[in-house]
Amino acid sequence: MDSPPKIPVSWLARYIYCPRQLFLEVVEGVKVAEDSHMVKGTILHDILETVFNSDRALLIKVTQAMIKPEYETLFRDKYLDKAAEVITRSLPRLRKVGLSPAQVLEPNIWLLGEMAVRRAMQVFTFARTFGVYSTELVERIFPKFQTSVFLESEKLRLKGEIDLIERYQDAVVPVELKSSSAPTSGVWPSDQIQLAAYLMLLGESERVEKGFVDYLASQKRVQVELNPFLEQEVWRVRDEIIEMIEKRKVPGAGERKNRCRDCGLNGVCFGKSTS
Ligand code: SF4
């Protein structure tokens, strides 16, 4: 007998954001056209994934003779190169929404520079403390980065791809990257449930206690710790999604909320633009 289909973790977050939007897209197959905001977010995401994936190639270049500013230059130049590479690859998508490459690169130069300096200092301190360079540095340094890690579980009936796993000597830490700003305190409910689900999935094979949401627009890393209440919430939302799909229960549009103003489906829900 076939096992029941698994629910993508991203659907939990989308359900929390707007159940009707998830229903219209997943059950009814209504397509939302990508807007410039979505394209900017996805490209930033791709840039960061490419940057983290270049870590090993950069560490191999670290030599004993290098001084501190050279570490910073090495990382900053590579991060900007990688960003330019991703943006060039994305030109057709940019054109579709009327964005120029500069409109994507310029707002992120500062962020990439900060990240490069932070990683350069981590690497410099580690290399000098332990006297390891190049391939030996690659083998020994922490944290190590793993990007886009696919996780699934028959038992949890969930599947999904976590953005980043940081591996330290004594801890495994899942991280979700968000191009948006952080709320004034904690994390957005949709981000919390998404990370909680990844913690549960990862927890099936590893000892994991907490994860983080990195809000890139506000340069803020916020911790999420798994607890029984949060686990219950994951079950509840997962079961509601399964019921919504199986019974084709269409959630109502309710009142127009702020989120409806920018939603590509507001014409479907309200018949005309809310903006
Ligand atoms: S317009 Fe509002 S209610 Fe309709 S799908 Fe979009 S966010 Fe949901």
Side-chain angles (χ1 to χ4, degrees):
M1 203 175 80
D2 288 343
S3 46
K6 301 176 189 95
I7 299 298
V9 170
S10 61
W11 288 9
L12 305 181
R14 294 182 58 197
Y15 184 85
I16 295 270
Y17 181 74
C18 175
R20 183 174 169 84
Q21 192 185 71
L22 183 68
F23 179 87
L24 291 173
E25 286 189 48
V26 169
V27 182
E28 300 281 304
V30 180
K31 293 263 178 287
V32 187
E34 260 194 333
D35 60 20
S36 59
H37 182 71
M38 285 158 86
V39 171
K40 275 188 191 173
T42 323
I43 292 177
L44 176 58
H45 218 269
D46 290 351
I47 291 173
L48 294 175
E49 190 178 318
T50 313
V51 157
F52 290 124
N53 283 339
S54 69
D55 201 53
R56 185 185 168 86
L58 277 171
L59 297 176
I60 283 177
K61 290 187 181 166
V62 172
T63 64
Q64 192 165 5
M66 280 171 63
I67 55 169
K68 210 185 213 179
E70 289 176 311
Y71 282 71
E72 289 184 12
T73 309
L74 176 71
F75 279 80
R76 193 183 297 110
D77 288 356
K78 182 55 92 183
Y79 282 19
L80 292 177
D81 275 2
K82 290 287 167 196
E85 216 177 275
V86 172
I87 289 170
T88 307
R89 262 202 325 258
S90 313
L91 284 177
R93 290 178 73 201
L94 291 177
R95 274 190 216 110
K96 259 194 197 161
V97 292
L99 283 173
S100 69
Q103 283 174 298
V104 180
L105 182 61
E106 275 163 22
N108 292 313
I109 286 180
W110 182 82
L111 169 69
L112 290 167
E114 286 290 305
M115 284 176 54
V117 169
R118 208 183 323 143
R119 185 58 173 162
M121 285 310 92
Q122 244 175 12
V123 175
F124 174 78
T125 309
F126 193 97
R128 290 297 169 98
T129 307
F130 297 101
V132 286
Y133 303 90
S134 193
T135 43
E136 204 185 343
L137 176 63
V138 174
E139 279 156 24
R140 296 209 21 211
I141 199 165
F142 292 98
K144 294 185 192 301
F145 302 127
Q146 262 183 297
T147 58
S148 303
V149 183
F150 181 75
L151 304 165
E152 63 180 334
S153 160
E154 298 283 341
K155 191 174 128 214
L156 301 176
R157 259 193 96 173
L158 289 170
K159 65 178 179 183
E161 207 174 76
I162 175 88
D163 289 332
L164 178 66
I165 296 181
E166 293 180 354
R167 293 191 175 278
Y168 297 83
Q169 263 171 312
D170 53 355
V172 178
V173 179
V175 182
E176 265 298 286
L177 305 170
K178 299 291 172 193
S179 53
S180 55
S181 299
T184 35
S185 76
V187 295
W188 297 110
S190 53
D191 299 336
Q192 184 182 46
I193 200 147
Q194 199 173 0
L195 192 54
Y198 286 129
L199 283 163
M200 289 161 72
L201 279 166
L202 199 55
E204 290 217 314
S205 55
E206 316 213 36
R207 195 167 159 266
V208 55
E209 286 160 5
K210 61 185 179 193
F212 292 95
V213 181
D214 274 3
Y215 290 103
L216 303 164
S218 39
Q219 279 277 290
K220 208 168 159 193
R221 169 167 278 208
V222 188
Q223 182 177 306
V224 172
E225 223 166 308
L226 196 59
N227 60 50
F229 299 105
L230 205 44
E231 278 188 24
Q232 283 303 316
E233 184 63 0
V234 171
W235 302 133
R236 181 187 70 78
V237 173
R238 183 206 60 180
D239 292 345
E240 282 184 20
I241 293 173
I242 292 170
E243 194 187 356
M244 174 183 86
I245 293 171
E246 287 178 356
K247 298 189 176 160
R248 296 183 71 87
K249 273 172 73 178
V250 53
E255 301 162 29
R256 289 176 191 177
K257 302 209 167 101
N258 277 347
R259 65 179 177 226
C260 299
R261 203 176 28 234
D262 300 323
C263 174
L265 294 176
N266 68 27
V268 178
C269 293
F270 301 107
K272 59 180 180 167
S273 169
T274 57
S275 53

